[in-house]
Amino acid sequence: MTAKPKLALYWAASCGGCEIAVLAIDEKILEVAAAFDIVLWPVAIDAKVHDIEKMADQSIDVCLFNGSIRNSEQEYMAQLLRRKSKILVAFGSCAHEGCIPGLANLAGREAIFDYVYRRSPSVDNPQGIVPQPEFEAPEGTLHIPVFYDTVKTLDQTVTVDYYVPGCPPEAENIYAIVKAVVAGLGGAPLPPAGTVLGKETTVCDECERTRNEKKIKAFKRTWEMIPNETDCLLEQGLVCCGLATRAGCGALCPKVNSPCIGCHGANAGVEDFGARMMTSLASVIDSNDPAEIRRIIQAGIPDPVGTFYRFSLPRSLLRRGALAGNGRGH
Amino acid sequence: MSDERFEPKIIAFLCNWCSYRAADLAGTARMKYQPNIRTIRVMCSGRVDPSFVLKAFSLGADGVMIAGCHPGECHYLEQNYKAMRRYEMLRHTLLAMGMEDHRLRLQWASAAEGNVLSAAINEMIEQVRALGPLNWPGLWSENGGHQAAIERLPHEHAEALEVSA
Amino acid sequence: MSEKVGVYICHCGSNIAGTVDVVELAKFAGELPGVTVSREYKFMCSSLGQELVAEDIQKQGLTRVVVGACSPHLHEKTFRRACAMAGLNPYLMQMVSLREQVSWVTEDKALALDKAKAMISGGVRRVQLQEELEPTPVPVNPNTLVVGGGVAGIQAALELADAGYPVFMVEREPSIGGHMAQFDKTFPTLDCSACILTPKMSDVGTHDKITLLSYAEVEEVTGFVGNFHVRIRKRARGVDEKDCTGCGICIEKCPRKVVDEVFEAGMGYRKAIYRPFPQAVPKFPVIDRANCTFYERGTCKACEKFCPTNAIRFDQEDSFLDLDIGNIILATGWDLFDARRLSQFGYGRLANVFTNLEFERLCNAAGPTDGKIVLRDGVTEPKSIALVHCVGSRDKTTNPQCSAVCCMAALKFGHLVMEKTQAEVTSFYIDIRAPHKNYEEFYDRLQDEGMHFVRGRVAEVTDAARRPEEEGKLIVQVEDTLVGKQRRLPFDMVVLMSGLQPRADAREVGLRFGISCSMDGWFTERHPKLDPVATMTDGIFIAGVCQGPKDIPDSVAQGAAAASRIQGMIARGTVMIEPVVATIHEENCSGCRICNNLCPFNAIEFLAEKSVSYINAALCKGCGTCVAACPAQAISGAHFNNQQINAEIEGLLYDAVRGNGGAPKPVAVPA
């Protein structure tokens, strides 16, 4: 019997949603299990990293790597799986862009530890102990991963072959990449390295709402209004990131009357998602008075980083906020 | 170049019709300004994409200036208003990310205002000099220490799992 | 595949080389990735310099050229042409300004070299991503639209029509002639204004190549140079032009008298059905419906009763005309400064304070007083007249500009007063501006004729007498700067030389045609020195005072200049549209419509069936605003695209700190 192709799935700094999303392909998971020999999937099977280390390089055919890189162990695993895999897929928004863990880039290790371990209302830590990467115990020296100041994307760590965007990716797209890889392993041509699975246009293309020219006098928060179901959400005043977000999700959120928040990442060729949102929203503000423009922006978008870089901060051009301790930042 | 004094590097986007001509006029009139500004010619301040500004900061610029025609005098009628709106949005975001205000500057200068532009350039250079180097890419270059942690891991795994004969 | 870049550093004599070490700079450039040839030369713009480039293109197979020299505004065309003649597409050349932007503005030579290196580095990286571009030829429609029937518009129209090209003239008022038709005499020749103007007006009215659309306005303009579509609203005169003979009986019989605020400057009357003045072109009268008894109450109809050819049409409605036009000249003239804004001069409050335009009507033999210079009572002849210069001109609180004509007009008034009356006339001036041919001599003449001059800004015109001699007079309070004293001088009549202002709707009108006004409201010319009649919008020209205050000879010259430009374009038959335009990539466009209202030139339209937006390249001016705004990054801007500008930024910051270290990689040129 010929050996089945090997499949690895790993989670770095993530929420576990991508793992569940894999299961969202429902019974097709059985096809996957039938087609592949799953050699690593910490959430589901009890494989050992050491066994992966002992494999020959490139013996894993495809690795679906979700989660961003924010500590030394995750970085090690990214490097290891890159070495051991023919095809490394950045699976889900965390691996692709940083996603929600990436918002920690508005702080740094010191500030995070200080809050989590000392100042949080529910913490009881009178000695102010924070994790250290190294600890001398009577039994020997203990090591835990080094916690980075800056969250990185997978491709800021190792070379990535393909990206499946989304938080989490849509079931159809997950199934599609699996099928493409299976076909590729069977000799069919694979997409060019670096391809992001999804369309090359933005969510507006998939959204069925009516669109007119945009003239914005105020940005509204989602809790301030219930939008109607027919008109463009931006025209109704809500910040809908569908403008700049890569299509491929079927405009799911606008379909249920909720503005798109951008989990599918930027359109093809775009380096910085937030810049696209900033420029498009700003350009159509209906005012030529600097004071009024400033007021509209400050009142309607009180958290610009959270609004424009909710999923993409580590992937953006500036990657992170300023670090405290140099006179700026948090 | 002085070793003690910090020499900022500032990128300026000048619009072809007004501010670039203002810079030309400053040159023709031999108005001296500090050389820390490096200019890029675009047809209109409306061409300036926020991603250009972010790109400049991400490559180590200490400041960025966007210069265009006075409101109401844009060669393309009203495009500098869009530049103004984008500047406000960009500024709002950059402040939230912890960047100081004076590192991004929106400057109007008509083709006849070589003096205004050169004065603004000098002023901005001094403001940025006082703020110090930005070195934004330095924020994400990690300190050493984790390379050792990474290299240690396979040994720890082996230690934990290999059963000695 | 990488490009072969040739870099040429110009010494520009010592203009660059005196501050920037050009030899060192050329050496630095030669080591940049992609550069195969790097030279420095004394004068790159000379024919030898250009030959240097041409030879390298041909012999060394250069695919890109960077010239580090003066401002591209001076020699970009030169070097583009040099490349084109050597067989390299002209858009594959980039100029880096080392003179205006480096050597001329930097003192420290070492820092100047650093800056020069960065600028060259930016240019070298950018040029490798530039693409071949070709301009597009479009045909030029020989029809010209002239907007405004004042002397500038008239001159333009006649020159084009005499050259054999069709002209459509649109004039807002019922007759052409503009302000010049209101004047009495013109300086310095003292020609009768109407006498020199009406023959030209008549030519316009009878010319077989000119279609005169009076009492009409331009509603909408679309299209681009050589190919405009203009919609004109012909307002309803109430008179059928085919039947009207211009006999004027309707005017005679009309019982309603209305104050003529326009032509008579409020000094006289006209009827509800009227011609602005007897020599009006066209001769057809107009019914002022707001003041006509028929429209108010449904009665009267005297005009209709007495019209021998049954030409009155009370039910006539505005009609529309759609025209295909090649080029447009805006000659829309000026408004008079409203002297009531300067209440210290008493205009509108003190009866015998007049404006210059009112005074013209007084002097004019066809005016409300048959040319007699009299006070408001219509009878009393003034014995002393004051002329106050710079009312609403040279004044930071109202208009800072000089109105160019008022000093000469004041001298003219002085002469007319002394010719027609025994009155003493005094000019109160800041400076006497008499710059043109025979103007200074006219000033001399008026001094000889006995006109009085007081150098000082009038503080106040008042009727509040302080001494018995001042009773019943208008007192001009002024600091006589040549004598060094405050003076109060009594006059019977004061004439305010009100300044010229842009039309109240100039900005709106400009936008309708796609041109802009400067901060002070005059239309913006393409270059104030070298191109005063063209605008930034190809195919739209300006002439006369709408471009800025000027006298009649200059207005005529500008009208002729605009006509001449257009004649050249029509004679060539085609005009080249610059290829620096934006393009929407349909496959990336989601139809979000963010770009749709960002183009003041209406180049962007939404294609509903495809649900994408589309840019008409002929209308696109290449500003790049939509390129920067597109959230999907689906719009690219030729010659200023994202990759080129990003590469330039990378080059400019080649020596900046990078957290991850390392010099920038060579430019990745698309295969």
Side-chain angles (χ1 to χ4, degrees):
Chain A
M1 187 175 86
T2 49
K4 289 198 283 191
K6 294 189 174 55
L7 171 65
L9 297 94
Y10 190 71
W11 53 2
S14 71
C15 68
C18 287
E19 314 290 348
I20 297 168
V22 169
L23 298 177
I25 65 177
D26 298 329
E27 68 282 356
K28 298 195 180 75
I29 195 74
L30 299 172
E31 270 180 54
V32 174
F36 288 95
D37 179 15
I38 301 177
V39 298
L40 181 71
W41 194 2
V43 80
I45 68 172
D46 187 28
K48 301 298 177 199
V49 173
H50 190 51
D51 293 333
I52 304 293
E53 287 165 350
K54 288 196 288 194
M55 285 178 174
D57 282 358
Q58 304 228 328
S59 50
I60 300 175
D61 293 278
V62 59
C63 174
L64 302 180
F65 192 112
N66 78 71
S68 51
I69 310 296
R70 81 111 67 251
N71 70 32
S72 54
E73 179 183 33
Q74 291 156 358
E75 177 149 13
Y76 170 72
M77 288 306 297
Q79 291 174 2
L80 176 71
L81 288 166
R82 170 72 277 180
R83 267 201 313 280
K84 303 299 177 187
S85 308
K86 285 201 192 68
I87 297 172
L88 180 64
V89 178
F91 188 80
S93 177
C94 288
H96 175 211
E97 304 194 291
C99 196
I100 304 299
L103 287 174
N105 279 357
L106 285 173
R109 175 180 54 247
E110 250 187 70
I112 292 173
F113 279 16
D114 188 46
Y115 184 81
V116 170
Y117 295 101
R118 298 198 190 106
R119 295 191 295 113
S120 150
S122 56
V123 104
D124 179 21
N125 181 7
Q127 289 171 289
I129 298 170
V130 294
Q132 301 295 325
E134 195 172 281
F135 178 70
E136 293 297 336
E139 300 85 346
T141 314
L142 288 175
H143 289 110
I144 60 171
V146 174
F147 188 95
Y148 294 172
D149 275 320
T150 302
V151 175
K152 300 197 284 188
T153 64
L154 185 59
D155 69 0
Q156 285 166 355
T157 315
V158 294
T159 320
V160 168
D161 297 307
Y162 303 113
Y163 303 82
V164 183
C167 178
E170 286 305 306
E172 315 84 73
N173 293 335
I174 296 173
Y175 187 57
I177 192 128
V178 168
K179 282 201 76 170
V181 165
V182 167
L185 292 173
L190 283 166
T195 301
V196 179
L197 193 84
K199 305 215 177 133
E200 298 210 329
T201 180
T202 60
V203 169
C204 298
D205 191 68
E206 295 177 322
C207 177
E208 281 156 13
R209 290 168 182 264
T210 324
R211 270 161 255 156
N212 290 299
E213 294 195 352
K214 319 287 186 224
K215 277 192 161 108
I216 296 178
K217 272 282 186 217
F219 293 108
K220 301 216 179 67
R221 311 289 302 288
T222 48
W223 46 260
E224 280 185 89
M225 60 177 292
I226 296 180
N228 71 48
E229 311 218 356
T230 46
D231 298 322
C232 166
L233 289 167
L234 178 63
E235 285 165 41
Q236 295 184 61
L238 293 169
V239 175
C240 179
C241 295
L243 294 175
T245 307
R246 187 188 290 264
C249 58
L252 276 181
C253 296
K255 280 204 174 84
V256 295
N257 223 21
S258 187
C260 165
I261 52 176
C263 79
H264 233 232
N267 196 14
V270 172
E271 273 191 291
D272 189 301
F273 178 88
R276 310 292 0 115
M277 284 307 299
M278 286 194 270
T279 187
S280 53
L281 294 185
S283 297
V284 295
I285 290 176
D286 190 16
S287 171
N288 289 335
D289 169 33
E292 191 186 354
I293 294 167
R294 193 170 281 200
R295 213 172 34 244
I296 291 173
I297 292 171
Q298 286 177 344
I301 307 178
D303 176 15
V305 181
T307 307
F308 300 137
Y309 291 108
R310 187 190 258 107
F311 295 92
S312 60
L313 187 57
R315 191 182 184 73
S316 70
L317 283 166
L318 292 186
R319 299 203 200 179
R320 58 159 303 115
L323 276 168
N326 53 2
R328 351 183 252 273
H330 307 276
Chain B
M1 189 153 73
S2 154
D3 284 321
E4 296 97 35
R5 201 159 96 128
F6 158 58
E7 294 293 348
K9 291 181 179 60
I10 297 177
I11 299 291
F13 294 92
L14 304 182
C15 76
N16 182 61
W17 302 96
C18 280
S19 47
Y20 194 91
R21 282 187 209 255
D24 276 356
L25 178 59
T28 333
R30 313 292 197 276
M31 294 178 198
K32 302 290 184 239
Y33 53 85
Q34 300 198 62
N36 306 66
I37 198 130
R38 300 172 179 184
T39 58
I40 294 181
R41 177 179 166 227
V42 288
M43 292 312 286
C44 179
S45 54
R47 177 67 188 92
V48 180
D49 191 321
S51 64
F52 296 159
V53 175
L54 299 172
K55 172 70 98 178
F57 285 130
S58 76
L59 290 173
D62 300 296
V64 175
M65 177 189 279
I66 304 169
C69 311
H70 286 278
E73 295 188 350
C74 179
H75 176 118
Y76 302 98
L77 308 186
E78 43 188 54
Q79 307 306 66
N80 51 356
Y81 289 118
K82 283 107 183 176
M84 186 211 293
R85 298 170 198 163
R86 290 179 200 147
Y87 159 76
E88 287 294 334
M89 188 72 88
L90 192 50
R91 174 181 178 272
H92 184 56
T93 305
L94 291 175
L95 288 175
M97 290 176 81
M99 190 181 293
E100 302 95 324
D101 198 6
H102 291 134
R103 295 195 186 267
L104 177 66
R105 180 177 179 134
L106 181 66
Q107 180 65 41
W108 305 129
S110 78
E113 291 180 322
N115 53 342
V116 168
L117 186 64
S118 61
I121 288 172
N122 277 334
E123 184 184 67
M124 184 178 181
I125 290 170
E126 287 317 311
Q127 284 171 338
V128 174
R129 195 192 303 277
L131 291 172
L134 180 64
N135 189 15
W136 200 270
L139 291 175
W140 66 68
S141 59
E142 293 282 338
N143 300 326
H146 62 259
Q147 205 47 43
I150 290 173
E151 281 162 16
R152 197 181 300 124
L153 280 171
H155 301 291
E156 291 187 356
H157 295 154
E159 207 183 285
L161 289 168
E162 294 293 337
V163 176
S164 25
Chain C
M1 189 208 93
S2 59
E3 304 299 339
K4 289 185 171 161
V5 183
V7 179
Y8 301 87
I9 307 294
C10 185
H11 296 213
C12 194
S14 65
N15 283 313
I16 296 176
T19 310
V20 175
D21 183 344
V22 289
V23 172
E24 179 60 37
L25 184 59
K27 187 162 158 295
F28 165 82
E31 285 158 13
L32 292 172
V35 175
T36 52
V37 167
S38 180
R39 301 187 196 284
E40 31 78 28
Y41 185 68
K42 268 209 146 28
F43 292 105
M44 280 306 300
C45 56
S46 66
S47 35
L48 286 176
Q50 294 180 53
E51 273 165 34
L52 210 53
V53 179
E55 215 181 285
D56 283 343
I57 290 173
Q58 279 156 355
K59 297 218 176 107
Q60 307 257 17
L62 294 183
T63 59
R64 298 285 187 281
V65 168
V66 172
V67 179
C70 52
S71 168
H73 281 133
L74 291 172
H75 280 304
E76 185 171 63
K77 276 208 173 74
T78 314
F79 294 112
R80 276 188 177 168
R81 207 169 31 233
C83 287
M85 289 179 44
L88 186 68
N89 185 290
Y91 290 88
L92 300 180
M93 189 286 303
Q94 176 70 358
M95 268 194 84
V96 174
S97 175
L98 295 178
R99 191 181 71 170
E100 281 83 343
Q101 305 235 343
V102 184
S103 66
W104 273 353
V105 293
T106 310
E107 266 165 341
D108 183 315
K109 291 190 183 178
L111 292 176
L113 180 59
D114 281 344
K115 182 175 178 180
K117 283 180 177 174
M119 302 285 279
I120 288 290
S121 177
V124 164
R125 288 184 79 85
R126 187 199 202 287
V127 83
Q128 293 178 64
L129 294 172
Q130 281 169 216
E131 289 161 345
E132 292 190 354
L133 296 170
E134 299 289 342
T136 322
V138 291
V140 177
N141 187 314
N143 293 342
T144 305
L145 178 71
V146 176
V147 182
V151 69
I154 286 171
Q155 186 67 27
L158 287 172
E159 298 224 4
L160 281 159
D162 284 345
Y165 301 123
V167 177
F168 293 85
M169 176 178 278
V170 172
E171 165 55 55
R172 199 188 331 218
E173 296 300 321
S175 168
I176 57 175
H179 283 295
M180 191 176 167
Q182 294 175 283
F183 300 156
D184 176 29
K185 304 280 193 293
T186 57
F187 55 77
T189 52
L190 298 170
D191 287 313
C192 152
S193 185
C195 305
I196 58 176
L197 182 64
T198 48
K200 284 191 191 266
M201 286 169 55
S202 184
D203 284 346
V204 167
T206 54
H207 207 298
D208 61 341
K209 290 283 182 196
I210 300 180
T211 306
L212 178 53
L213 303 161
S214 60
Y215 206 53
E217 287 199 60
V218 174
E219 284 264 300
E220 201 193 0
V221 180
T222 55
F224 52 96
V225 58
N227 303 272
F228 291 107
H229 306 290
V230 181
R231 168 159 270 231
I232 311 238
R233 173 192 289 267
K234 290 187 56 164
R235 292 161 62 200
R237 290 184 115 91
V239 169
D240 190 326
E241 293 174 25
K242 286 195 297 300
D243 293 334
C244 173
T245 60
C247 68
I249 291 177
C250 53
I251 299 173
E252 240 181 82
K253 299 296 184 186
C254 175
R256 283 287 289 270
K257 261 180 156 184
V258 181
V259 173
D260 185 348
E261 299 284 2
V262 179
F263 191 79
E264 295 291 8
M267 300 274 291
Y269 293 95
R270 56 166 172 83
K271 298 295 186 71
I273 184 170
Y274 72 103
R275 271 192 289 253
F277 51 97
Q279 309 97 318
V281 171
K283 57 191 180 209
F284 313 117
V286 155
I287 300 178
D288 172 12
R289 296 187 184 192
N291 289 297
C292 167
T293 305
F294 172 76
Y295 290 102
E296 280 175 8
R297 293 192 291 258
T299 53
C300 182
K301 295 214 224 171
C303 48
E304 189 183 53
K305 283 198 204 80
F306 287 97
C307 175
T309 53
N310 205 19
I312 302 293
R313 303 274 180 277
F314 288 114
D315 57 354
Q316 195 181 64
E317 281 176 2
D318 290 356
S319 61
F320 292 92
L321 192 61
D322 290 304
L323 298 173
D324 290 329
I325 298 287
N327 290 281
I328 301 174
I329 302 177
L330 292 176
T332 48
W334 49 276
D335 280 341
L336 192 70
F337 172 79
D338 182 358
R340 280 173 300 200
R341 287 172 60 186
L342 294 171
S343 54
Q344 67 267 35
F345 297 130
Y347 178 68
R349 176 172 44 92
L350 301 171
N352 290 309
V353 175
F354 293 78
T355 62
N356 39 357
L357 209 49
E358 287 180 327
F359 195 73
E360 291 278 0
R361 297 311 303 154
L362 273 186
C363 291
N364 193 311
T369 59
D370 297 327
K372 285 202 286 296
I373 299 175
V374 287
L375 299 179
R376 294 269 185 204
D377 60 9
V379 171
T380 316
E381 286 189 8
K383 297 216 176 31
S384 53
I385 301 182
L387 304 169
V388 180
H389 291 221
C390 305
V391 173
S393 306
R394 302 189 66 184
D395 178 357
K396 290 203 166 102
T397 62
T398 55
N399 297 318
Q401 104 261 338
C402 166
S403 292
V405 300
C406 324
C407 281
M408 291 306 298
L411 295 174
K412 171 184 77 174
F413 286 165
H415 174 87
L416 293 172
V417 166
M418 289 189 291
E419 186 186 78
K420 296 184 169 198
T421 73
Q422 302 302 314
E424 300 283 329
V425 58
T426 309
S427 239
F428 293 89
Y429 68 96
I430 306 176
D431 298 285
I432 296 290
R433 293 192 159 169
H436 294 154
K437 194 166 183 176
N438 291 320
Y439 285 14
E440 183 68 20
E441 294 89 325
F442 191 65
Y443 176 36
D444 285 339
R445 174 179 169 182
L446 264 305
Q447 290 181 78
D448 288 341
E449 285 182 6
M451 185 166 171
H452 306 292
F453 293 90
V454 173
R455 183 175 179 276
R457 287 197 84 153
V458 170
E460 188 184 31
V461 175
T462 177
D463 61 354
R466 286 193 197 161
R467 298 193 303 274
E469 314 87 84
E470 293 182 357
E471 290 290 346
K473 299 280 194 196
L474 289 171
I475 313 300
V476 171
Q477 166 102 24
V478 65
E479 182 199 348
D480 185 337
T481 59
L482 295 176
V483 168
K485 279 180 132 89
Q486 284 276 341
R487 298 175 72 179
R488 284 172 67 91
L489 296 163
F491 292 92
D492 292 327
M493 176 192 267
V494 173
V495 180
L496 304 177
M497 305 307 291
S498 283
L500 273 47
Q501 291 194 152
R503 291 273 187 199
D505 61 352
R507 226 170 264 280
E508 193 200 307
V509 168
L511 278 175
R512 200 174 306 159
F513 289 87
I515 67 167
S516 60
C517 297
S518 53
M519 289 296 279
D520 50 23
W522 306 107
F523 289 137
T524 308
E525 61 284 290
R526 186 167 275 218
H527 193 285
K529 290 282 203 205
L530 301 177
D531 209 351
V533 297
T535 63
M536 310 297 197
T537 304
D538 292 334
I540 315 270
F541 299 88
I542 50 180
V545 179
C546 64
Q547 183 260 344
K550 57 178 64 69
D551 53 22
I552 290 167
D554 284 351
S555 295
V556 169
Q558 283 200 343
S564 164
R565 269 296 184 77
I566 292 173
Q567 283 184 51
M569 291 164 72
I570 298 173
R572 289 196 82 142
T574 55
V575 75
M576 302 303 263
I577 305 278
E578 274 274 305
V580 177
V581 293
T583 309
I584 295 181
H585 299 274
E586 204 178 289
E587 65 279 11
N588 300 124
C589 173
S590 65
C592 71
R593 304 193 67 176
I594 285 275
C595 58
N596 283 195
N597 65 345
L598 295 180
C599 184
F601 304 100
N602 299 313
I604 308 180
E605 49 182 309
F606 182 63
L607 306 176
E609 341 75 59
K610 287 202 216 175
S611 196
V612 292
S613 295
Y614 169 79
I615 295 176
N616 181 338
L619 293 175
C620 175
K621 304 278 179 239
C623 72
T625 301
C626 61
V627 180
C630 177
Q633 213 163 269
I635 310 182
S636 59
H639 207 58
F640 288 90
N641 71 26
N642 288 338
Q643 292 82 353
Q644 289 156 4
I645 296 178
N646 280 329
E648 194 171 352
I649 297 172
E650 277 170 34
L652 288 181
L653 289 169
Y654 83 101
D655 59 344
V657 176
R658 277 175 177 67
N660 297 320
K665 299 185 284 298
V667 174
V669 175

